[in-house]
Amino acid sequence: MKKWSRARKIWTSIVSLILVIAIILASAGAYFFYVAEVRAKKSFVNSGALTAKDPLYSQQEAWRKYSATKWEIKAKDGTKLVGSYVPAAQKTDKTALVIHGFGVDHVAMEPYGAMFHQNGYNVLLIDNRAAGKSGGHYIGYGYLEAQDAKLWTQKIVQENGQDSQIVVMGASLGGATTMMLSGMNPPKQVKAYVEDAGYTTIKAELLYQASQMYGLPKWIAEPIIGIVSIYSRIFAGYSFNQGDVTKYLAKNDRPMFFIHGAQDDFVPTHFIYENYKAQKGPKEMMVVPKAAHVQSYATNIPKYEERVNAFLNQYVH
């Protein structure tokens, strides 16, 4: 009887410990799900708006002088999506779809919109789901946004005609969105892509951030991120396994220009080499010395514009 009583106490202690660990992991997962995916102001990300001291401020202000038209579509899940469309100064079939990153809205991409407009493009800057004037409660880490971006390309064809030549450009989460879109069989009118500072997989980026922001070792971060992925599947409708950028690039036979800052400590620079290797179709790469996260354009404005335009001019006329 004493042996049985002792064994029961041991098993009760083990079960209790397992339950405590499970509760801790579930709670940690819920916290990180909120930080990573729930629509809210992210304290570790600035608004994206520039001040007069910023190198791209004049480009931001140039965009704001254009006369924009509000475009709207509905995502497959009914989420309202909103964009700002500016036609080119001279009528053209060329349109650039420009996609922002995590925790900001289209304002962060206004300098890029100005760059495309100055090079003769119609430009559509969009607010991703759960950002800006668009609806939605959950960030899709590029997977949901890529499906939305495909609808935006269809909208461009609908509005501008079957002869449309579309370029898709995105930065950070927008870069991951751009790369995932490339493997989702977008309309034939999409001719080329430009991605700036995108990651390889959702999981890889979150593991990196868990280490950088919270100091979590991989053996702790991995199970927590697994739980976050379960929450994501339940509430947002996708799991992190669906966000493997390299698998989409392996399906893409259209041209992709890869850009990354050499000193990116938010989406580490090494991701560009993995993505570049995975790309199936024509490709070029530019790693900008001394550039931090999504600072490649601001760090070397002439070189950035020169390389982007030279790449796209091979495929869009």
Side-chain angles (χ1 to χ4, degrees):
M1 289 293 291
K2 288 182 179 180
K3 288 184 179 180
W4 168 247
S5 179
R6 189 184 316 154
R8 186 171 62 181
K9 287 180 179 179
I10 292 172
W11 278 109
T12 299
S13 298
I14 292 172
V15 170
S16 297
L17 179 61
I18 291 171
L19 287 173
V20 168
I21 292 172
I23 291 169
I24 291 171
L25 288 174
S27 299
Y31 169 77
F32 286 112
F33 174 72
Y34 177 82
V35 171
E37 290 188 51
V38 176
R39 182 177 193 151
K41 171 64 179 173
K42 307 301 180 184
S43 61
F44 51 92
V45 179
N46 63 36
S47 68
L50 304 178
T51 62
K53 66 180 181 180
D54 291 297
L56 293 175
Y57 179 74
S58 62
Q59 285 290 68
Q60 173 186 272
E61 296 308 294
W63 173 264
R64 293 179 178 185
K65 292 177 182 177
Y66 303 146
S67 179
T69 301
K70 181 180 179 181
W71 280 17
E72 291 186 14
I73 61 173
K74 277 193 174 182
K76 290 182 178 180
D77 62 3
T79 300
K80 183 182 80 169
L81 303 172
V82 178
S84 295
Y85 176 80
V86 175
Q90 297 182 353
K91 188 174 177 59
T92 181
D93 294 326
K94 301 190 300 182
T95 302
L97 170 62
V98 184
I99 307 170
H100 67 81
F102 178 88
V104 294
D105 60 22
H106 79 276
V107 170
M109 301 305 290
E110 288 176 344
Y112 300 83
M115 176 186 72
F116 281 109
H117 191 268
Q118 290 156 3
N119 284 282
Y121 285 80
N122 309 308
V123 182
L124 177 61
L125 295 190
I126 60 172
D127 283 340
N128 292 336
R129 59 174 54 232
K133 295 181 179 178
S134 289
H137 299 294
Y138 303 109
I139 296 167
Y141 270 91
Y143 176 72
L144 297 180
E145 290 83 355
Q147 295 176 65
D148 297 339
K150 183 174 179 179
L151 296 177
W152 279 119
T153 62
Q154 294 168 351
K155 171 73 170 178
I156 291 169
V157 174
Q158 176 187 333
E159 295 290 336
N160 292 353
Q162 292 295 317
D163 293 331
S164 292
Q165 300 179 79
I166 301 171
V167 169
V168 180
M169 187 270 172
S172 194
L173 181 149
T177 299
T178 298
M179 291 185 281
M180 286 192 235
L181 169 66
S182 74
M184 291 185 177
N185 193 32
K188 63 181 182 181
Q189 288 84 358
V190 177
K191 302 300 183 183
Y193 305 91
V194 179
E195 79 84 19
D196 187 332
Y199 37 84
T200 52
T201 71
I202 298 173
K203 181 180 177 181
E205 175 60 11
L206 292 181
L207 278 172
Y208 175 79
Q209 289 302 332
S211 173
Q212 289 295 106
M213 294 177 63
Y214 300 96
L216 296 180
K218 187 176 180 180
W219 66 272
I220 292 177
E222 279 196 321
I224 292 175
I225 289 171
I227 291 169
V228 177
S229 182
I230 293 171
Y231 282 124
S232 182
R233 166 63 77 180
I234 294 169
F235 295 104
Y238 72 100
S239 71
F240 295 161
N241 290 335
Q242 294 170 285
D244 186 335
V245 168
T246 60
K247 289 183 179 179
Y248 295 98
L249 288 170
K251 299 176 184 178
N252 174 42
D253 57 8
R254 302 181 215 185
M256 179 81 68
F257 187 32
F258 298 85
I259 304 169
H260 220 107
Q263 294 183 2
D264 193 334
D265 60 1
F266 193 80
V267 177
T269 307
H270 68 80
F271 283 154
I272 189 175
Y273 302 106
E274 298 171 56
N275 286 331
Y276 184 82
K277 182 179 179 181
Q279 160 73 355
K280 177 183 178 182
K283 54 189 174 181
E284 291 183 25
M285 177 173 60
M286 177 174 68
V287 177
V288 179
K290 300 181 181 179
H293 185 58
V294 195
Q295 292 298 304
S296 294
Y297 188 14
T299 299
N300 194 333
I301 295 171
K303 187 69 172 180
Y304 194 98
E305 293 180 345
E306 175 191 341
R307 288 292 306 275
V308 169
N309 292 331
F311 178 80
L312 294 177
N313 287 342
Q314 299 175 72
Y315 309 104
V316 183
H317 308 286

